[in-house]
Amino acid sequence: MAEIEPGQDPQGVEDPRFSALDERLREARGREALNTGQGGPDAERGYSQGNRVISALIGSLVGSALIGWLIDRWFGTAPWGLIVLLFLGIAVAFRQIIRISGERPE
């Protein structure tokens, strides 16, 4: 330190105190984020997966019900087209939900 003049920051010298301070600040920010409900990337990923599950469930059911209703109207097979396609839509929705829930974390 004798070669560094007073009042100047050392260049190229890594101070372990700064590293320890940075680490403590990261930990404190992480704890504060959890306490305030801002869970970070894991929470955002959970919301994303939840939205995908809801859209798969609603989309499959509404789509299959619409197609079943149209088949019933065109061919006069009421209510069998709607019932059969609703069951198929439920099966597709559950298959998609199982596939989404089995994905690995990023």
Side-chain angles (χ1 to χ4, degrees):
M1 285 277 199
E3 60 199 37
I4 300 172
E5 295 182 24
Q8 293 183 352
D9 289 335
Q11 295 178 356
V13 178
E14 184 69 30
D15 191 355
R17 294 178 296 175
F18 289 136
S19 301
L21 179 62
D22 287 338
E23 182 63 31
R24 288 194 326 226
L25 282 172
R26 265 188 252 118
E27 290 174 6
R29 285 184 182 133
R31 285 192 306 267
E32 184 64 26
L34 288 175
N35 289 339
T36 58
Q38 301 169 354
D42 292 336
E44 291 174 7
R45 186 176 186 286
Y47 289 131
S48 174
Q49 270 191 331
N51 287 336
R52 288 177 59 198
V53 166
I54 294 293
S55 65
L57 185 62
I58 293 173
S60 295
L61 291 177
V62 169
S64 64
L66 180 65
I67 293 171
W69 179 76
L70 288 173
I71 287 174
D72 284 341
R73 298 263 310 176
W74 289 336
F75 298 114
T77 58
W80 295 108
L82 178 65
I83 292 171
V84 168
L85 283 176
L86 267 177
F87 281 116
L88 286 174
I90 291 169
V92 168
F94 283 125
R95 181 178 177 273
Q96 287 178 343
I97 290 170
I98 291 169
R99 184 178 48 88
I100 290 169
S101 66
E103 290 179 354
R104 290 184 169 205
E106 297 173 359

